[in-house]
Amino acid sequence: MRKTALKTLLLGFTLHLSIVHQSTAQPINAQEIEQRIETLMSQMTLEEKIGQLVQKTVYGPDRIEELKDAIRKGHIGSILNAGDLTTANTLQKTALEESRLGIPLIFGRDVIHGYRTIFPIPLAQACSFDPELVSRACSIAALEAWSQGIHWTFAPMMDISRDPRWGRIAESFGEDPYLTEIMSVAMIKGFQGDNMAAPGKIAACAKHYVGYGAAEGGKDYNTTLIPESELRNVYLRPFHAASNAGVATFMSAFSDLNGIPASGNAFTLDQILRKEWNFKGFVVSDWGSVAELAVHGFAKDNREAALKAITAGVDMEMVTPCYEEHLADLVRQGIIPEELINERCANVLRIKFRLGLFENASPTPADNVLLAPAHLETARQLAIESMVLLQNDDWLLPLSKDKTVAVIGPLADAPHEQVGCWVVDGSGNDAISPRKALEQMLGIEKVLFAPGLEKSRSTDTKGFKQAVATARKADVVLLFLGEENILSGEAHCRAFLTLPGAQEELAKAVIATGKPVAVVIMVGRPLVFKEACKGARSILYAWHPGTMGGPAVADLLFGNAVPSAKLASTLPRTVGQVPLYYNHRNTGRPPVAGNYNIPTGTPLDPVGFTANYLDVSVAPEYPFGFGLSYTTFAYSNLQLSANQISENETLRISVDVNNSGNLEATEVVQLYIRDKVASLTRPVKELKDFRRVTLKAGNTQRVEFELKPSDLGFYLNGPELIIEPGDFEVFVGTNSEQTLNATFALTE
Ligand code: BGC
């Protein structure tokens, strides 16, 4: 027993205990930090202070000497993408031992959904509605990254994303501000813990501040136009929560917000972030976005770009040379005061102190941290909890293990693709594909494999014949469709949302065999896939599920685990409906159900003139919050503690949730509200809370929620939360559409 416990300890996250680390486990006191900053800065030259605001990347081994030289002079404060521990240690040694003041460098890296152990893409993680597990995954990612000399991750990305054409929707938590806030804070806690100086902890970065996900046309880097009220109610919300949660850094976005690029935007960076939220960390620009102020047409050259960015509130410039080349001169010319440089430098040093870098800037690497068994186990669990069961006609799933399965499709055995976009240090070589996992689970002889298409985008149908023949030989077909990982992520946007290549034709050919087909969709975005899946019995939306995606799929298909995930992003019927999200406003002419497809010859549709399309329903294919289980849940007895509350009271909401099927399973119980009349039109529904409840077959649990008046508030065009008395509707249910409803009033 003791032996097993010790083994678990050694394999688990506590593994970092075995790493020799000199840094203090106690957070360094804030006052002491300010004193140390003051003492240090009193010895720094202007150039050295500016050096702290400069971040450089390692372009390759031949540029190392050049970097070392700049580091020696105190001209670099941070390195992005050092690449490996040896390079990081070499550069750090130069900073500590050869620069005049020995100020440590801070090493940053994109640890987006795992370091070596790759978890599902963030959009998939959001579908788990399980912030504790998401947080645990990030603490694993932090430990793995920290063990390789990384102090700082550029995550989480908390851009509200309502357009699946945008490739970076994969990196987001979807369309909802509340869910995004919960997931962002969970990630920050996982990366940073309570004390960033503790072994295995790294600084997080709230990005991309702000509005980047609203890029027009779903085209990356594109313009965004967001009124202040919408900015505050939707886009800023997770960032505000991140600031309150103590996130160490923010990243200013590439995009132009209402005509002012985010990296030169004094309203968002200075007024909101610093003055309203009192943020004490530092802001790094996104890659090159300071120099790009000139490309936007907001600055005439790099010098003016440096001036605008530093004045607006960008503390550290990522990669481009505007700060290093122009700030000193701007100070000497009296155009910017040295106090501004002091303030920005202090912001950077504060985080270096909080990270304990002055005590210990480099970890001593330990074996067995990367891809440790406990890390892989968490990756498998999170993948299980991220995959959304959309359809399961006649309960095809779960399958029994005596079946012979035909494993077909370009994503069935594509470990490199399943890890998803933004994987810098992970590798498909570590990943287990569904085909491999099924062979391990069922025995190689029961798994008949025919990819049908080489890649998701392939159009060569020569593999179809074998795919169809293979399907015919099996009891059940498991059809793995989707996207290569390169089809989502930064600058990887799509104008079509259908399955790429000849996948639809492949699906049709395989389904036409008449064999029962379960489709597994492995993608980085919401896709339009229903037509391709016509005739399939089951659809599991598995996203890009990471290193352990294969075992997770196998667990779900064969009933070792029961699906519990819910969509964090609405799935549209067609790209023409986009942007489509559940928390839209009502309009003055809300759509009438079924009112499309006007018969030919109709002169004037009597129920027309509503917010409808002529050629497709306005309803989504699957709504936000949707996800099936292998059991059913029945909701009843929704009760409110009062039918009205005053501004000091809390409303309690309770509901009975019954597992009315035959298996123990987890349900995500969702609470939404609608503010019926307000001085700003409010969404038709807004997620306010959720609970994951696990129920044995037949069992019922009373699930309780609380709503405070502040939960009912909204922002107009300013920082004050407005709480207006009036009537509200409450919805509790299994997704954003199927709910029990009640009403209450908030009184004066
Ligand atoms: C991306 C950021 C990323 C940065 C550093 C940029 O291109 O927009 O999200 O953190 O590069 O790699």
Side-chain angles (χ1 to χ4, degrees):
M1 170 88 182
R2 280 195 61 163
K3 235 178 172 173
T4 323
L6 181 65
K7 205 167 155 202
T8 320
L9 251 187
L10 281 174
L11 296 177
F13 320 41
T14 38
L15 201 125
H16 60 258
L17 291 177
S18 66
I19 299 171
V20 186
H21 192 277
Q22 312 301 325
S23 88
T24 169
Q26 294 302 314
I28 308 166
N29 165 297
Q31 213 182 339
E32 186 193 322
I33 289 181
E34 295 311 312
Q35 277 159 8
R36 289 175 73 182
I37 293 174
E38 207 182 307
T39 312
L40 179 58
M41 281 185 39
S42 68
Q43 302 164 58
M44 292 170 80
T45 63
L46 177 63
E47 278 71 14
E48 283 166 338
K49 287 182 221 164
I50 292 168
Q52 290 304 306
L53 315 184
V54 172
Q55 183 181 60
K56 290 287 166 200
T57 189
V58 176
Y59 289 103
D62 48 329
R63 304 277 293 273
I64 295 281
E65 281 314 313
E66 192 188 314
L67 276 179
K68 278 167 93 175
D69 199 41
I71 292 168
R72 254 178 230 120
K73 293 183 184 136
H75 290 175
I76 294 181
S78 172
I79 297 284
L80 144 83
N81 296 338
D84 57 69
L85 187 56
T86 316
T87 312
N89 282 342
T90 310
L91 298 176
Q92 191 66 286
K93 207 162 176 283
T94 310
L96 296 175
E97 295 172 11
E98 298 175 44
S99 75
R100 199 174 69 86
L101 295 168
I103 301 174
L105 297 164
I106 176 170
F107 288 100
R109 186 91 165 153
D110 289 280
V111 182
I112 306 297
H113 51 115
Y115 181 76
R116 266 298 285 280
T117 304
I118 301 300
F119 299 96
I121 55 168
L123 184 55
Q125 293 190 34
C127 296
S128 73
F129 282 69
D130 191 345
E132 284 79 26
L133 188 58
V134 166
S135 194
R136 203 188 319 156
C138 286
S139 68
I140 289 170
L143 173 60
E144 291 193 353
W146 175 87
S147 79
Q148 302 305 303
I150 291 155
H151 308 129
W152 174 26
T153 174
F154 305 122
M157 183 183 108
M158 49 188 77
D159 296 304
I160 302 296
S161 311
R162 292 170 165 178
D163 193 329
R165 292 172 296 180
W166 191 50
R168 300 196 87 166
I169 195 170
E171 289 176 64
S172 80
F173 303 117
E175 71 200 37
D176 184 68
Y178 176 73
L179 184 60
T180 300
E181 167 185 324
I182 297 291
M183 289 298 162
S184 303
V185 171
M187 282 202 167
I188 292 163
K189 295 222 156 104
F191 287 128
Q192 298 190 173
D194 297 328
N195 170 19
M196 288 195 300
K201 291 297 166 200
I202 60 176
C205 182
K207 77 183 189 187
H208 305 85
Y209 189 68
V210 55
Y212 182 46
E216 278 186 357
K219 200 166 58 171
D220 210 0
Y221 316 123
N222 209 6
T223 307
T224 71
L225 292 163
I226 310 171
E228 186 178 337
S229 58
E230 190 72 354
L231 196 64
R232 290 187 183 270
N233 288 313
V234 177
Y235 294 89
L236 284 172
R237 184 178 173 151
F239 288 98
H240 194 181
S243 173
N244 288 341
V247 72
T249 67
F250 268 58
M251 184 185 289
S252 60
F254 289 124
S255 41
D256 170 335
L257 172 67
N258 304 327
I260 314 287
S263 293
N265 197 316
F267 175 60
T268 52
L269 291 171
D270 189 49
Q271 171 60 30
I272 296 181
L273 183 60
R274 295 284 176 196
K275 299 210 170 82
E276 291 177 20
W277 300 349
N278 201 20
F279 175 64
K280 293 285 182 227
F282 73 86
V283 177
V284 64
S285 70
D286 202 347
W287 184 293
S289 65
V290 172
E292 284 168 21
L293 293 179
V295 188
H296 276 284
F298 187 67
K300 74 171 188 293
D301 50 21
N302 277 0
R303 181 182 162 91
E304 199 176 39
L307 170 63
K308 289 205 165 176
I310 195 98
T311 317
V314 173
D315 298 290
M316 183 183 280
E317 179 183 10
M318 187 185 282
V319 183
T320 42
C322 310
Y323 278 18
E324 64 189 284
E325 288 176 3
H326 301 288
L327 286 185
D329 189 53
L330 286 166
V331 172
R332 291 204 175 96
Q333 300 282 319
I335 298 170
I336 50 175
E338 187 160 351
E339 289 72 53
L340 185 64
I341 305 292
N342 292 348
E343 204 185 299
R344 303 270 173 260
C345 176
N347 291 338
V348 173
L349 292 176
R350 188 172 301 118
I351 296 305
K352 291 188 175 182
F353 277 112
R354 275 181 61 198
L355 275 164
L357 298 186
F358 287 85
E359 282 67 40
N360 180 22
S362 341
T364 308
D367 294 335
N368 305 330
V369 171
L370 307 179
L371 300 165
H375 300 185
L376 295 175
E377 199 39 56
T378 303
R380 181 178 189 150
Q381 185 58 27
L382 189 46
I384 288 171
E385 290 192 16
S386 302
M387 297 180 184
V388 189
L389 182 65
L390 297 177
Q391 181 184 316
N392 197 17
D393 292 351
D394 303 323
W395 304 97
L396 174 66
L397 302 178
L399 299 164
S400 75
K401 290 184 185 145
D402 54 8
K403 296 264 188 289
T404 295
V405 295
V407 171
I408 294 172
L411 271 296
D413 196 20
H416 174 70
E417 312 304 348
Q418 78 183 43
V419 292
C421 62
W422 264 122
V423 169
V424 190
D425 299 285
S427 160
N429 297 335
D430 304 324
I432 306 175
S433 71
R435 177 196 177 190
K436 284 277 151 16
L438 289 163
E439 285 174 355
Q440 276 161 18
M441 180 186 273
L442 305 174
I444 203 157
E445 65 294 342
K446 294 237 220 54
V447 180
L448 315 175
F449 173 62
L453 289 164
E454 198 195 329
K455 289 269 181 195
S456 74
R457 280 176 291 169
S458 307
T459 48
D460 183 343
T461 57
K462 68 173 186 297
F464 281 25
K465 210 166 145 205
Q466 200 202 343
V468 168
T470 305
R472 289 215 169 94
K473 281 190 233 146
D475 300 316
V476 179
V477 177
L478 304 176
L479 183 56
F480 293 87
L481 306 176
E483 286 180 335
E484 290 142 70
N485 71 23
I486 195 79
L487 293 181
S488 52
E490 185 179 349
H492 290 83
C493 303
R494 294 186 62 202
F496 292 93
L497 292 179
T498 40
L499 285 157
Q503 292 187 83
E504 191 162 326
E505 293 88 311
L506 173 66
K508 290 201 157 139
V510 168
I511 293 168
T513 61
K515 291 286 176 178
V517 175
V519 179
V520 180
I521 301 183
M522 298 169 84
V523 278
R525 60 159 57 77
L527 274 193
V528 170
F529 53 85
K530 263 311 241 224
E531 179 55 32
C533 295
K534 211 166 173 180
R537 297 253 305 265
S538 305
I539 305 173
L540 182 69
Y541 213 80
W543 308 102
H544 283 146
T547 310
M548 294 299 279
V553 166
D555 283 343
L556 286 170
L557 295 179
F558 286 86
N560 288 352
V562 179
S564 60
K566 304 280 187 171
L567 291 172
S569 195
T570 301
L571 299 184
R573 288 167 193 255
T574 166
V575 69
Q577 292 178 309
V578 167
L580 185 67
Y581 48 95
Y582 85 95
N583 41 1
H584 59 83
R585 290 180 160 87
N586 204 32
T587 80
R589 294 188 177 190
V592 177
N595 176 30
Y596 68 98
N597 215 3
I598 298 173
T600 342
T602 308
L604 187 63
D605 176 20
V607 285
F609 302 104
T610 62
N612 253 313
Y613 294 110
L614 286 179
D615 43 8
V616 69
S617 159
V618 285
E621 197 69 77
Y622 292 100
F624 177 87
F626 183 89
L628 301 173
S629 171
Y630 293 155
T631 186
T632 45
F633 294 99
Y635 285 67
S636 62
N637 201 13
L638 173 65
Q639 279 180 359
L640 308 189
S641 58
N643 49 24
Q644 61 177 51
I645 56 165
S646 68
E647 58 180 18
N648 305 316
E649 288 175 324
T650 296
L651 183 74
R652 284 188 311 284
I653 298 141
S654 50
V655 69
D656 283 335
V657 182
N658 167 253
N659 179 343
S660 42
N662 302 320
L663 280 173
E664 177 174 321
T666 299
E667 166 73 328
V668 179
V669 183
Q670 301 160 42
L671 170 77
Y672 300 84
I673 64 146
R674 176 172 180 185
D675 183 347
K676 300 200 38 181
V677 181
S679 46
L680 181 78
T681 57
R682 305 299 300 134
V684 295
K685 260 174 207 159
E686 290 178 83
L687 183 70
K688 287 289 159 181
D689 206 350
F690 57 83
R691 291 266 186 293
R692 282 176 63 86
V693 290
T694 303
L695 291 172
K696 290 203 180 345
N699 278 13
T700 300
Q701 189 176 321
R702 188 123 192 101
V703 178
E704 301 212 358
F705 296 100
E706 282 189 355
L707 277 178
K708 294 188 291 310
S710 58
D711 297 323
L712 310 174
F714 58 88
Y715 296 95
L716 277 169
N717 288 320
E720 299 81 34
L721 188 71
I722 312 282
I723 302 170
E724 286 182 350
D727 292 336
F728 291 82
E729 225 167 329
V730 173
F731 313 85
V732 180
T734 186
N735 62 55
S736 61
E737 283 185 1
Q738 284 170 278
T739 57
L740 298 175
N741 310 352
T743 54
F744 73 96
L746 176 67
T747 59
E748 303 269 349

